[in-house]
Amino acid sequence: MRVTGSSLAFSVILLLSPVALLVSSPFVGTIVDRTARKRVVLWAQSASILVVLVMYGAFSLVKAPLLQVVLAGSLVFCLTLCDNFQKVAYKAATVNLVAQTDHQRLIAGEQLVAALMMLVAPILGGILFPVLTLQQAMLVEALVILLLAKLSFTAFGETFVPSNDEKDWHGFRRGLEYIGQDKILVALLSLGVLANLALSAVIIGEPVVLLQQQHLSTQVYGWIEASLALGMISGSALMGVFSVTGDTRSYTAKVGFLITLVLSLLALACLGEQRLWISVVFAIGLCLLGNAICLANTPYMLHMRTKVALKRQGRINATADALTSIASPVGLGLFGFLFKYLPAGTIFLAASLVVLLASIKLAKQGKQCD
C-alpha cells in the first residue's frame, strides 16, 4: 500500500495465499505421503530461507513500483507453498507423535497459538514497520526461519511405508475420492466451507458498517476487530478443558446454530442508529464468532487425525485445506460486490439463513446415527 497506494494491488497479493494452496494441493499431499515427514519439513524450511534471501536481493535491485508489487506477490506465493508443505507434513506426523486421547488438547493448543499470533502479529508489525525497511524485515524473517531450522525434528521419524501407487498430479483427485467415501468428513467439511463464506461476509461487512456508515475511529475499530482473536483464544481454552462427545455432526451443528445467532445479531444491529449499541453488538458478535471457529475446527481436525488412515494423511489434509481455502477468495469477491448494492443487514441475514439450513441438515444426520 505504501509503495503503490493501490488497494487492488494489495487485495490481489492477499488472494495469492489461497491460490497457492489450491495450486499446490495436487502434489503436496502426495509428496508428504511418499517422503519422510522430517525431510519434508527441513526441505521446506530451507526453501523458505532461500526464497527470502533471493527476494531480498531482488528488492534491493528493483525500484519500479510495479515490479516491486510483482516481487511481493511472488514472495507471498512462494512462502505459502513452503508453509503448506510444512503444515501438511506436521499434521500427518502428529498422528503418530501424540496418543489418540490427547489429540484434542493438541488441537486446542495449536488453535491457541494461532489466535495469539492473530492478536500479536498486527501489533508487532505496527511497531516494526515504521522502524525497519522491507529489506531489513525480510532479513529478520530469514534469521527466524534459520533459527527454526536448528530445531530437532527427530520425532517426525524417517521410516514409514511410502505410497507409490499414483502420480503426483493424481493426489488431489485421490484426496477428493477419499473424502467422498467418508460421509462424516464430507458433512463437517461442507459446513466448514459455508462458515468460511459467512466469515468473509463479516470481514467485508465489518469495516463497511463501522467505518463507512458509523464513522467510528480507527482505534475503536481496532479494539472491536481484536474481539475475534480474543474469542478464538477463549474458544481454544475451552477445547483444552471440555471434550467433544457424541456424534461430531450433532456437535458441529450446534456450533452452526451459534454462527447463525451471531450473524442474526449483526443483522439486527445494522437496523439501529446508536454507535454504542452497534459497537457493543459487533464486539460481542466477533468474540462469539471466534469461539465458534475453534469449536467447529476441533471436531473436524480431530476426525482428520484419528479416523483417516496414516498413508492418506498428506493427500486428504492437502485436499481439505485447498477446499476450505477456496471459500475465502470466493467469499471476499462475492461479498465485496454485494455490499456495494445491498444493505449490510440483508447480507448478514441471508448468510445466517444459509448456515442455519446447513446446520439443520447436519443435526438431522447426527441424530440418525445417535
Side-chain angles (χ1 to χ4, degrees):
M1 286 291 287
R2 186 173 68 177
V3 173
T4 65
S6 171
S7 59
L8 176 61
F10 181 68
S11 62
V12 169
I13 290 176
L14 291 179
L15 288 176
L16 285 174
S17 287
V19 170
L21 289 176
L22 182 61
V23 171
S24 63
S25 62
F27 57 88
V28 169
T30 304
I31 292 175
V32 169
D33 280 341
R34 288 182 175 183
T35 312
R37 276 79 194 224
K38 174 183 176 181
R39 199 172 301 165
V40 173
V41 171
L42 293 177
W43 284 351
Q45 285 188 330
S46 300
S48 297
I49 297 172
L50 180 62
V51 167
V52 173
L53 292 178
V54 169
M55 289 299 175
Y56 170 79
F59 270 102
S60 301
L61 296 174
V62 174
K63 303 301 180 183
L66 179 59
L67 291 179
Q68 286 191 344
V69 171
V70 173
L71 288 176
S74 302
L75 177 63
V76 170
F77 188 88
C78 293
L79 287 181
T80 301
L81 287 180
C82 297
D83 181 65
N84 195 23
F85 272 104
Q86 294 189 64
K87 182 171 62 174
V88 173
Y90 167 79
K91 289 180 180 178
T94 51
V95 174
N96 281 339
L97 291 179
V98 180
Q100 186 166 340
T101 54
D102 293 328
H103 271 290
Q104 182 174 325
R105 281 186 289 178
L106 173 64
I107 292 169
E110 293 168 355
Q111 294 188 114
L112 178 60
V113 171
L116 288 172
M117 291 305 299
M118 283 183 59
L119 191 62
V120 174
I123 298 174
L124 186 61
I127 295 173
L128 295 179
F129 186 73
V131 179
L132 301 177
T133 64
L134 181 59
Q135 289 89 340
Q136 290 171 337
M138 292 172 67
L139 281 179
V140 171
E141 182 173 3
L143 179 61
V144 171
I145 297 174
L146 184 61
L147 291 175
L148 289 175
K150 295 291 186 180
L151 295 175
S152 173
F153 293 94
T154 305
F156 277 60
E158 285 286 358
T159 57
F160 65 102
V161 179
S163 176
N164 294 316
D165 59 340
E166 60 190 35
K167 298 179 180 179
D168 289 349
W169 53 83
H170 291 161
F172 187 77
R173 180 172 60 85
R174 290 295 189 190
L176 287 175
E177 291 176 356
Y178 296 147
I179 291 174
Q181 296 169 6
D182 190 333
K183 293 182 179 180
I184 295 179
L185 184 56
V186 169
L188 298 178
L189 194 58
S190 298
L191 187 63
V193 171
L194 289 176
N196 276 348
L197 285 173
L199 182 60
S200 298
V202 176
I203 291 173
I204 296 294
E206 181 193 2
V208 170
V209 174
L210 299 181
L211 294 179
Q212 292 184 5
Q213 297 178 3
Q214 299 300 319
H215 305 290
L216 294 179
S217 66
T218 54
Q219 291 84 356
V220 174
Y221 173 77
W223 282 109
I224 294 175
E225 194 173 39
S227 300
L228 179 66
L230 293 175
M232 292 182 66
I233 292 173
S234 61
S236 300
L238 287 173
M239 287 294 91
V241 176
F242 299 102
S243 300
V244 176
T245 57
D247 189 272
T248 52
R249 286 169 292 186
S250 298
Y251 176 90
T252 307
K254 295 175 183 177
V255 180
F257 293 140
L258 175 60
I259 296 175
T260 301
L261 175 62
V262 170
L263 293 172
S264 300
L265 288 174
L266 297 182
L268 181 62
C270 293
L271 298 177
E273 298 181 356
Q274 295 292 328
R275 288 184 182 181
L276 179 60
W277 156 254
I278 295 174
S279 300
V280 170
V281 171
F282 266 81
I284 295 174
L286 287 175
C287 186
L288 291 175
L289 193 59
N291 270 273
I293 291 173
C294 293
L295 297 178
N297 280 342
T298 300
Y300 161 71
M301 296 171 68
L302 199 59
H303 183 89
M304 289 285 286
R305 298 191 188 187
T306 59
K307 304 299 181 183
V308 175
L310 177 62
K311 65 179 182 179
R312 300 174 180 175
Q313 281 284 326
R315 284 163 290 180
I316 294 184
N317 270 293
T319 303
D321 287 347
L323 291 175
T324 53
S325 68
I326 292 174
S328 295
V330 170
L332 292 175
L334 173 64
F335 292 112
F337 172 79
L338 291 178
F339 272 101
K340 291 183 178 180
Y341 302 100
L342 296 175
T346 302
I347 296 175
F348 288 143
L349 184 60
S352 70
L353 291 176
V354 171
V355 177
L356 176 62
L357 292 176
S359 301
I360 292 174
K361 181 178 180 180
L362 197 61
K364 288 181 178 179
Q365 292 178 359
K367 189 175 181 180
Q368 291 173 354
C369 296
D370 286 341

